[in-house]
């Protein structure tokens, strides 16, 4: 293992924020990932796995322990029903297994090219399979966990285990891994045959929708806050569960603390204007939460995962 020391995490996060990791290692294969986690366990070092860094806010003081940057990359067809037609696989149903470090977009493009339906709405989701399993990432009403049949993990004793879909306890912005903090090694997806052209067209629409509604290209971690509850939505009679709707209605677009700004394009995005610190973002988050509580009586909860302490 090539362990580096004092590595700035800002360059590994979409927010471009975060202090130094005491130790940092890149895992290119599943074996690397297992070795790195076992090393941390045996050395009694705090550790966490960083996927794409698109859903984290790392503190200005960084992380006292080992950060394992997950670059594992294998995607394979684990099993299928169907036959061979004109020298090509004619898949009716397939199980695709992806390492946790594979980018969600690479996996989705692979399934689209194979004419497999299920993940097409998610094209454009930043980050890795591991990060998307951890938070059960969503797009509109589709959840990343919907087609997962099995997740392979490494537990805190360094042992490999498997979870079924039900055992993952997938819910909106949640999986059991929030609680267990086990390391996700790979995930298997059960997908059925679809029309390749139609699937690509749905996927392309999803990407277009993102680029017309999100401030892409500016440093952020996507939506800062989770959707509001159904009870709050009904009480307020608002047309959407999006926290961004309330933030917009409260006139908070453009609100700023230091270099952290509520986006003008999408009110649920907080942008780093290039000069922000993580403390700026946290202070802006607190301000937005207080204003929404005062105006609507709604307690917003962060979707973005905080790493380290400021
Ligand atoms: C522009 C933009 C748009 C976005 N759009 C969406 C969207 O439409 N829907 C949505 O749900 N999210 C969205 N996000 C948030 C983010 O992209 C997703 O949550 C993504 O799935 C996170 O993956 P990641 O690999 O970047 O996770 P990271 O940010 O690297 O990590 C997030 C958490 O997952 C944990 N984790 C990561 N890998 C593993 C692993 N192998 N084992 C155990 N734990 C792990 C980390 O430790 C951390 O706690 C968006 C973000 C951006 C910047």
């Amino acid at each position: 293992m090539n362990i580096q020391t004092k590595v700035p995490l800002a360059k590994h996060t979409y927010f471009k924020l975060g202090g130094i990791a005491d130790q940092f290692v890149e895992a290119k294969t599943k074996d690397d990932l297992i070795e790195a986690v076992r090393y941390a366990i045996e050395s009694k070092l705090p550790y966490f796995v960083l996927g794409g860094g698109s859903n984290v806010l790392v503190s200005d003081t960084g992380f006292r322990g080992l950060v394992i940057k997950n670059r594992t990359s294998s995607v394979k067809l684990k099993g299928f029903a169907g036959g061979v037609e004109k020298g090509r696989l004619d898949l009716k149903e397939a199980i695709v297994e992806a390492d946790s470090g594979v980018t969600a977009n690479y996996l989705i493009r692979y399934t689209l090219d194979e004419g497999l339906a299920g993940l097409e709405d998610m094209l454009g989701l930043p980050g890795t399979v591991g990060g998307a399993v951890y938070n059960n990432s969503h797009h509109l009403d589709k959840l990343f966990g919907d087609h997962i049949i099995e997740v392979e993990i490494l537990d805190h004793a360094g042992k490999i285990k498997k979870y079924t879909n039900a055992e993952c306890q997938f819910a909106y912005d949640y999986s059991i891994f929030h609680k267990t903090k086990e390391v996700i090694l790979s995930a298997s997806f059960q997908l059925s045959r679809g029309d390749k052209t139609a699937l690509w067209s749905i996927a392309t629409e999803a990407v277009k929708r993102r680029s017309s509604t999100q401030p892409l290209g500016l440093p952020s971690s996507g939506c800062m806050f989770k959707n509001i509850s159904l009870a709050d939505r009904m009480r307020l009679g608002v047309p959407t569960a999006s926290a961004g709707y309330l933030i917009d209605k409260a006139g908070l677009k453009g609100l700023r603390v230091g270099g952290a700004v509520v986006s003008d394009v999408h009110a649920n995005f907080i942008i780093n204007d290039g000069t922000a610190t993580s403390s700026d973002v946290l202070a802006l988050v607190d301000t937005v939460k207080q204003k929404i509580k005062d105006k609507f009586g709604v307690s917003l909860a962060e979707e973005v995962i905080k790493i380290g302490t400021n």
Side-chain angles (χ1 to χ4, degrees), residues 68 127 155 178 211 220 272 281 295:
I68 304 165
D155 72 11
H178 278 241
S211 47
S220 81
N272 167 11
V281 176
K295 191 166 175 70

Side-chain angles (χ1 to χ4, degrees), residues 14 48-56 70 100 125-128 130-132 134-135 137-139 173 182-184 210 214 216 220-222 269 303 305 307:
Y14 272 59
F48 83 91
V49 175
L50 184 65
S54 64
N55 203 32
V56 287
N70 190 2
S100 55
L125 178 74
T128 61
Y134 177 84
N135 213 37
S137 295
H138 53 89
H139 185 62
D173 274 351
E182 290 159 324
V183 171
I184 299 153
R210 279 176 189 280
Q214 299 180 350
L216 301 181
S220 81
S221 269
F269 276 54
E303 176 175 328
I305 314 288
I307 307 279

Side-chain angles (χ1 to χ4, degrees), residues 2-310:
N2 178 17
I3 296 182
Q4 303 165 55
T5 54
K6 300 202 185 321
V7 172
L9 292 172
K11 63 179 179 190
H12 294 286
T13 68
Y14 272 59
F15 242 139
K16 305 219 180 305
L17 293 173
I20 279 166
D22 286 349
Q23 297 188 42
F24 182 92
V25 69
E26 292 193 357
K28 295 202 174 100
T29 64
K30 201 195 278 184
D31 284 346
D32 289 352
L33 183 55
I34 293 169
E35 187 186 356
V37 176
R38 287 183 178 155
Y39 158 78
I41 293 170
E42 279 156 24
S43 316
K44 297 193 171 21
L45 264 179
Y47 64 93
F48 83 91
V49 175
L50 184 65
S54 64
N55 203 32
V56 287
L57 177 62
V58 179
S59 73
D60 295 321
T61 54
F63 185 72
R64 305 286 72 80
L66 175 69
V67 175
I68 304 165
K69 170 74 188 168
N70 190 2
R71 293 197 191 279
T72 59
S73 61
S74 160
V75 177
K76 60 180 185 241
L77 207 54
K78 212 162 88 172
F80 66 92
V84 179
E85 203 169 285
K86 293 183 192 147
R88 265 193 68 84
L89 282 176
D90 178 28
L91 302 175
K92 293 194 168 37
E93 193 86 20
I95 295 173
V96 175
E97 184 188 75
D99 280 354
S100 55
V102 168
T103 64
N105 282 319
Y106 182 88
L107 167 66
I108 297 162
R109 281 196 296 266
Y110 173 94
T111 63
L112 293 171
D113 284 340
E114 293 292 345
L116 292 169
L119 298 176
E120 58 281 0
D121 291 284
M122 296 273 170
L123 193 66
L125 178 74
T128 61
V129 167
V133 170
Y134 177 84
N135 213 37
N136 192 18
S137 295
H138 53 89
H139 185 62
L140 303 176
D141 59 344
K142 302 286 170 45
L143 301 172
F144 198 75
D146 286 350
H147 294 275
I148 288 180
I149 51 162
E150 190 172 78
V151 173
E152 183 188 35
I153 62 100
L154 198 67
D155 72 11
H156 295 291
K159 291 214 165 58
I160 295 175
K161 270 174 45 183
K162 288 184 174 170
Y163 282 73
T164 62
N165 180 295
E167 287 168 338
C168 291
Q169 296 180 14
F170 287 123
Y172 168 72
D173 274 351
Y174 183 79
S175 75
I176 194 165
F177 308 112
H178 278 241
K179 203 154 60 187
T180 67
K181 303 286 176 208
E182 290 159 324
V183 171
I184 299 153
L185 298 175
S186 68
S188 296
F189 301 78
Q190 185 167 7
L191 304 165
S192 50
R193 184 169 62 183
D195 177 72
K196 209 197 259 193
T197 312
L199 292 174
W200 267 110
S201 147
I202 295 168
T204 309
E205 275 312 308
V207 173
K208 274 196 205 144
R209 188 180 179 281
R210 279 176 189 280
S211 47
S212 64
T213 56
Q214 299 180 350
L216 301 181
L218 295 170
S220 81
S221 269
C223 286
M224 179 52 72
F225 301 103
K226 294 181 186 179
N227 283 346
I228 64 171
S229 68
L230 184 60
D232 278 335
R233 189 177 162 185
M234 288 174 74
R235 177 174 60 80
L236 296 168
V238 289
T240 160
S242 163
Y245 180 84
L246 295 187
I247 299 169
D248 192 4
K249 284 283 162 223
L252 301 182
K253 278 182 169 174
L255 186 70
R256 166 186 291 272
V257 173
V261 193
V262 175
S263 165
D264 277 337
V265 178
H266 190 315
N268 203 7
F269 276 54
I270 288 181
I271 301 299
N272 167 11
D273 76 357
T275 65
T277 61
S278 294
S279 307
D280 291 344
V281 176
L282 291 171
L284 184 56
V285 163
D286 285 347
T287 308
V288 170
K289 283 170 85 169
Q290 191 57 56
K291 286 183 184 290
I292 296 300
K293 179 84 187 157
D294 293 346
K295 191 166 175 70
F296 301 108
V298 173
S299 300
L300 293 181
E302 290 90 322
E303 176 175 328
V304 171
I305 314 288
K306 295 176 196 159
I307 307 279
T309 44
N310 265 323

